[in-house]
Amino acid sequence: MENVDSIVVINPLEDIEKLKALASKPRLEILALLKNHSLNINEIADKLDFPQSTVATHISILEEAGLIETKSIKARKGTQKVCFPAFQEGLLIKFPDEQKTEENFVEIEMPLGIFTDCHVTAPCGLCTSEKIIGQLDVPNSFLSPDRMKAGLLWCNNGLVEYKFPNNTMYDERELTKLEVSAELSSETPGTNPDWPSDITIWINRTEIGTWTCPGDFGDKRGKFTPEWWKLEGSQYGLLKHFSVTNEGSFVDDEKISDVTLADLNLGEHHSIRVGLGVKENAEHMGGMNIFGRGFGNYDQGIVLRAYY
């Protein structure tokens, strides 16, 4: 599968062509069929019992709307067009939040290598956008001063923790949500899109919840991954948003625990500790990659947002 988003969010006020493309039962059936398969037009026509010309028309509409992608590959005779969805997990139709402006949140981005604590097991390593840091599979390399420049780190299991300034202590507005975003994937020798891993997040040493990453992605070079990094290595992750509100904790829009803002005791600490890792007793212990600036698809470090 090509490089696709986890969830495609549709703004009904702006994405009219996407809505038009979805307003067709045959096209919805094609999307449902492609959710777990990459198929060519003939295969789609056979499975849905549609004429090939009809399928080709619907595919063109879906592709123009950005809901599927296609690529041409060699066939016995000439080439064939293979179709796959532009999302991995689903579509979300969502009206924009009128209050999501620069005025209602404070954002801090922490460079990937400026962690304040780490406990990792091999295989593990770090690298900058130019070179490997220290030695591969040697946890002590995470103590190297060069880690400050890290753009990618990985481990089999363990934890890395970041300490952010707690600006919420000095803001008179009411805090409504604390959000952490990071680009993450599983970790295995080489890559494997079907390699689940339970990645857990902690805030102020309180376990917020666990998200199961589906795999370690290497089908295509990440948008920012440097050319020297071998294609057989992890190329990009999925950008996940972990949030804590007064109602509970969420990954993207899915609730993962009942931990609330009150459980974080934010008023008692001058810092906010954010930990990411894979526990030793995880059901899916598939390792972890964290992508920072200069790697992956999003060119960001660990981002903490406080919403008011």
Side-chain angles (χ1 to χ4, degrees), residues 65-90:
L67 295 174
I68 67 167
E69 296 181 8
T70 63
K71 64 178 179 181
S72 296
I73 63 173
K74 290 183 179 179
R76 291 184 177 179
K77 296 182 179 180
T79 61
Q80 62 179 355
K81 179 182 284 190
V82 176
C83 313
F84 50 91
F87 52 87
Q88 288 184 331
E89 297 178 11

Side-chain angles (χ1 to χ4, degrees), residues 56 64 78 90-91 96 105 115 163-164 190 221 224 228 242 251 263 265 274 276:
E64 186 174 346
L91 299 168
F105 68 81
F115 45 82
K163 187 181 290 187
F164 290 80
R221 186 174 297 279
F224 299 97
W228 71 267
F242 302 89
V251 56
D263 297 316
N265 300 315
V274 175
L276 292 163

Side-chain angles (χ1 to χ4, degrees), residues 112 150-153 183 224 290-296 298-301:
L112 194 64
L152 172 65
L153 69 80
E183 184 177 354
F224 299 97
I290 308 179
F291 297 82
R293 288 198 173 273
F295 274 86
Y298 295 94
D299 203 32
Q300 70 162 64

Side-chain angles (χ1 to χ4, degrees), residues 53-265:
S53 58
T54 299
V55 171
T57 299
H58 286 311
I59 289 296
S60 177
I61 293 172
L62 290 169
E63 185 176 14
E64 186 174 346
L67 295 174
I68 67 167
E69 296 181 8
T70 63
K71 64 178 179 181
S72 296
I73 63 173
K74 290 183 179 179
R76 291 184 177 179
K77 296 182 179 180
T79 61
Q80 62 179 355
K81 179 182 284 190
V82 176
C83 313
F84 50 91
F87 52 87
Q88 288 184 331
E89 297 178 11
L91 299 168
L92 175 65
I93 298 176
K94 184 178 181 181
F95 285 95
D97 187 343
E98 294 181 0
Q99 295 183 344
K100 273 197 174 180
T101 65
E102 293 184 0
E103 288 74 27
N104 83 317
F105 68 81
V106 176
E107 178 180 293
I108 304 173
E109 179 180 344
M110 189 66 67
L112 194 64
I114 307 185
F115 45 82
T116 52
D117 194 12
C118 71
H119 305 279
V120 298
T121 64
C124 60
L126 311 92
C127 60
T128 72
S129 59
E130 300 175 347
K131 64 179 183 179
I132 299 291
I133 297 173
Q135 297 177 305
L136 292 176
D137 300 332
V138 177
N140 279 349
S141 295
F142 280 65
L143 303 177
S144 168
D146 287 342
R147 68 184 174 86
M148 302 295 187
K149 304 174 184 177
L152 172 65
L153 69 80
W154 65 95
C155 64
N156 180 51
N157 65 61
L159 172 144
V160 288
E161 185 179 74
Y162 299 84
K163 187 181 290 187
F164 290 80
N166 185 2
N167 294 326
T168 66
M169 296 184 69
Y170 312 104
D171 200 307
E172 296 181 354
R173 294 174 294 176
E174 179 185 0
L175 182 69
T176 58
K177 180 171 71 171
L178 198 65
E179 179 186 270
V180 176
S181 65
E183 184 177 354
L184 305 167
S185 80
S186 307
E187 164 58 18
T188 184
T191 62
N192 186 342
D194 185 19
W195 188 262
S197 186
D198 294 337
I199 298 176
T200 299
I201 181 171
W202 295 262
I203 297 180
N204 282 352
R205 305 289 173 86
T206 298
E207 184 175 326
I208 300 306
T210 297
W211 166 67
T212 301
C213 181
D216 184 1
F217 309 109
D219 57 285
K220 184 177 181 180
R221 186 174 297 279
K223 293 179 182 178
F224 299 97
T225 301
E227 291 295 326
W228 71 267
W229 182 253
K230 60 185 183 301
L231 279 172
E232 293 79 10
S234 306
Q235 293 296 317
Y236 63 92
L238 303 177
L239 185 64
K240 306 306 292 184
H241 296 81
F242 302 89
S243 61
V244 184
T245 70
N246 293 319
E247 286 73 44
S249 297
F250 304 81
V251 56
D252 297 331
D253 292 316
E254 181 179 350
K255 191 171 185 179
I256 53 175
S257 79
D258 292 323
V259 175
T260 67
L261 288 171
D263 297 316
L264 303 182
N265 300 315

